[in-house]
């Protein structure tokens, strides 16, 4: 793949599709500013499902002119999210803990907030202490685990103790890796029954190795690629990345061949079920991680595999995709943005067409006057009004903004669509 384009010659969305996207953004912005700054139903410290993610989207909407200056109390919302850090201090996860809010604070210093390299010094200290005391996350993933801490460290670099944090994180990833003749992976921890319950795991999950970008090995590989890109970790990072990619590629194949990768490798279940098409689980997420690894490690074979996965995904019909939602996580916009990213990287018409098709599918869910900006998320058959980033209208708005713009959509680094390098 060619280097990532920091600016496109023209927006992805044109004509009537662009007009529909603009109308959707106006409606989402109008509803987001009505969401209470203090919402008892929402944990305001969360990036994925709380106020911090809403702030990230509102900052993007304000920058694009969909929210007027002073409207929406964006700074008050950020202060509310930061005030929730004490409540969340026991939980370091990127998506639901204090690290996610710290990521937003760090990210918004690139234009929205006045730069202050010391704002997150306390977060650096807290994360280093946890990792060095063995009190870091039991999980290894992007959402709740070590990969999420890496995403914060990459965004923070070179300020504070970010380099030290990333090197320490590499130590822990090396220590926790499970090695075999296939390479290295990171299974769910084998813990006593009482600890499994305390950490939200069941005996059947212990030893399982997730293959999703959100909860599995691909997220770790993307973070290791980020270390290499920053010149951190040296041969240790490269060796671990090479071993992780080797293990991941050895898992390719499903029982019916509808997808390249299943969702997880389970010790007690040999079935390899095909996976839906999504950012969180499925071939697009694996392809994003392999693409980042190939680019930053200088491994063209990994890049070629990423392109193969996305070419196959582009041929999969919407009806066969398992997508029943417009949002980012496991919905149409998450798939659209993955294709948009690959179009930016390669210029391939296949990816552009797929990005347009999936954006149109996301907009197909619009219902005038319903939900947040006319959109619901769908959970177990329920239609839910959700303003948040990962599964709500805030994330949908950011994906639409990316399609209408020509600049680099840097917000997507928290989801490992890209890296800050």
């Amino acid at each position: 793949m060619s280097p990532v384009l920091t600016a496109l010659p023209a927006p992805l969305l044109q004509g009537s599709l662009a007009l529909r996207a603009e109308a959707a953004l106006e409606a989402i912005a109008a509803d987001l500013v009505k969401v209470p700054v203090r919402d008892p139903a929402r944990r305001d410290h969360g990036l994925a499902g709380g106020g911090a993610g809403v702030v990230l989207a509102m900052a993007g909407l304000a920058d694009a002119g969909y929210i007027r200056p002073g409207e929406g109390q964006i700074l008050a919302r950020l202060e509310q999210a930061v005030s929730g850090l004490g409540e969340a201090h026991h939980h370091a996860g990127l998506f639901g803990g204090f690290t996610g809010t710290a990521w937003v604070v760090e990210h918004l210093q690139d234009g929205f907030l006045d730069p202050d390299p010391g704002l997150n010094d306390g977060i650096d200290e807290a994360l280093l202490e946890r990792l060095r005391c063995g009190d870091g996350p039991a999980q290894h993933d992007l959402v709740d685990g070590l990969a999420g801490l890496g995403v914060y460290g990459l965004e923070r670099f070179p300020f504070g103790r970010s380099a030290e944090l990333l090197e320490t994180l590499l130590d822990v990833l090396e220590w926790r890796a499970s090695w075999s003749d296939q390479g290295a992976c990171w299974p769910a921890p084998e813990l006593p029954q009482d600890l499994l319950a305390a950490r939200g795991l069941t005996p059947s999950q212990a030893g399982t190795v997730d293959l999703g970008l959100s909860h599995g090995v691909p997220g770790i590989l993307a973070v290791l690629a980020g270390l290499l890109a920053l010149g951190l970790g040296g041969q240790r990072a490269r060796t671990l990345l090479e071993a992780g990619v080797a293990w991941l590629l050895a898992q390719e194949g499903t029982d019916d061949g509808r997808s390249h990768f299943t969702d997880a490798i389970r010790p007690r279940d040999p079935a390899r079920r095909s996976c839906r098409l999504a950012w969180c689980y499925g071939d697009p997420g694996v392809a994003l991680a392999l693409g980042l690894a190939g680019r930053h490690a200088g491994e063209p074979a990994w890049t070629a595999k990423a392109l193969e996965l996305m070419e196959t995904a582009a041929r999969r019909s919407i009806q066969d995709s398992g997508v029943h939602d417009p949002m980012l996580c496991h919905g149409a916009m998450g798939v659209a943005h993955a294709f948009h990213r690959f179009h930016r990287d390669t210029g391939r018409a296949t990816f552009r067409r797929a990005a347009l098709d999936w954006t149109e599918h996301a907009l197909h869910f619009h219902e005038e006057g319903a939900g947040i900006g006319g959109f619901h998320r769908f959970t177990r058959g329920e239609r839910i009004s959700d303003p948040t980033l990962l599964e709500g209208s805030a994330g949908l708005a950011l994906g639409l903004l990316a399609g209408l713009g020509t600049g680099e959509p840097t917000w997507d680094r928290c989801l490992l669509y890209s890296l800050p390098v």
Side-chain angles (χ1 to χ4, degrees):
M1 291 191 286
S2 62
V4 175
L5 296 174
T6 56
L8 294 175
L12 171 72
L13 304 182
Q14 303 281 337
S16 62
L17 192 57
L19 292 175
R20 289 171 62 193
E22 289 168 355
L25 286 169
E26 290 172 0
I28 292 171
D31 281 352
L32 283 182
V33 299
K34 298 174 188 174
V35 173
V37 174
R38 296 176 180 271
D39 186 350
R42 192 182 68 239
R43 296 185 305 164
D44 282 314
H45 50 266
L47 169 61
V54 174
V55 167
L56 183 65
M58 291 180 75
L61 288 164
D63 187 57
Y66 289 94
I67 294 177
R68 294 186 296 273
E71 187 181 26
Q73 298 179 273
I74 300 177
L75 288 178
R77 293 174 189 276
L78 184 58
E79 290 171 0
Q80 172 66 15
V82 170
S83 73
L85 292 179
E87 175 190 345
H89 203 68
H90 65 286
H91 180 22
L94 180 71
F95 278 24
F98 65 84
T99 306
T101 297
W103 186 94
V104 172
V105 169
E106 197 68 33
H107 182 73
L108 291 182
Q109 291 183 64
D110 187 14
F112 189 80
L113 297 175
D114 293 333
D116 182 352
L119 274 177
N120 278 326
D121 284 351
I123 302 298
D124 297 351
E125 297 287 344
L127 292 177
L128 277 167
E129 181 180 359
R130 286 176 181 234
L131 288 174
R132 288 175 172 164
C133 293
D135 193 29
Q139 292 86 354
H140 310 111
D141 65 339
L142 171 66
V143 170
D144 290 316
L146 296 173
L149 307 193
V151 167
Y152 164 77
L154 293 172
E155 192 73 20
R156 177 89 164 119
F157 186 85
F159 301 112
R161 301 178 70 182
S162 55
E164 190 178 354
L165 173 63
L166 290 167
E167 293 277 4
T168 304
L169 183 68
L170 177 59
D171 293 339
V172 179
L173 286 172
E174 282 185 312
W175 174 60
R176 292 193 186 179
S178 176
W179 291 80
S180 69
D181 56 1
Q182 293 183 328
C185 66
W186 290 266
E190 298 276 3
L191 296 170
Q193 181 66 44
D194 57 337
L195 289 181
L196 281 172
R199 294 182 177 179
L201 300 170
T202 66
S204 63
Q205 291 173 306
T208 295
V209 188
D210 250 289
L211 301 185
L213 181 61
S214 60
H215 283 292
V217 170
I220 296 171
L221 302 183
V223 169
L224 290 171
L227 264 69
L228 288 183
L230 296 178
L232 299 173
Q235 188 57 47
R236 292 195 304 139
R238 175 172 285 276
T239 297
L240 199 57
L241 178 60
E242 290 173 349
V245 170
W247 184 89
L248 178 63
L249 294 178
Q251 313 314 311
E252 184 178 6
T254 55
D255 294 340
D256 62 11
R258 288 168 53 235
S259 64
H260 285 258
F261 288 89
T262 188
D263 63 334
I265 305 301
R266 299 174 176 86
R268 300 170 179 83
D269 183 0
R272 299 288 183 97
R273 302 171 188 85
S274 286
C275 202
R276 64 189 174 194
L277 211 61
W279 163 82
C280 53
Y281 283 97
D283 294 344
V286 176
L288 286 164
L290 286 174
L292 293 172
R295 179 184 304 120
H296 295 296
E299 294 286 350
W302 301 351
T303 299
K305 174 54 71 173
L307 294 173
E308 178 190 345
L309 295 180
M310 291 303 283
E311 291 280 1
T312 303
R315 294 192 292 271
R316 193 166 173 181
S317 70
I318 288 174
Q319 294 73 23
D320 180 51
S321 67
V323 175
H324 309 291
D325 183 283
M327 307 306 186
L328 276 179
C329 180
H330 45 267
M333 185 48 63
V335 180
H337 193 63
F339 281 118
H340 186 190
R341 268 293 174 191
F342 271 81
H343 171 59
R344 294 180 71 97
D345 292 354
T346 68
R348 292 191 184 187
T350 300
F351 300 145
R352 179 179 180 275
R353 182 69 259 166
L356 292 172
D357 288 345
W358 280 98
T359 300
E360 186 164 21
H361 187 53
L363 292 171
H364 171 76
F365 288 91
H366 181 264
E367 302 173 64
E368 189 69 35
I372 303 295
F375 296 91
H376 291 99
R377 68 173 167 91
F378 297 85
T379 301
R380 298 181 180 88
E382 288 188 67
R383 297 159 72 251
I384 300 171
S385 297
D386 189 338
T388 63
L389 175 70
L390 190 62
E391 296 186 64
S393 294
L396 176 61
L398 286 169
L400 292 174
L401 284 171
L404 287 168
T406 57
E408 174 74 1
T410 57
W411 61 267
D412 69 5
R413 300 196 294 235
C414 67
L415 302 178
L416 288 176
Y417 281 97
S418 65
L419 294 169
V421 286

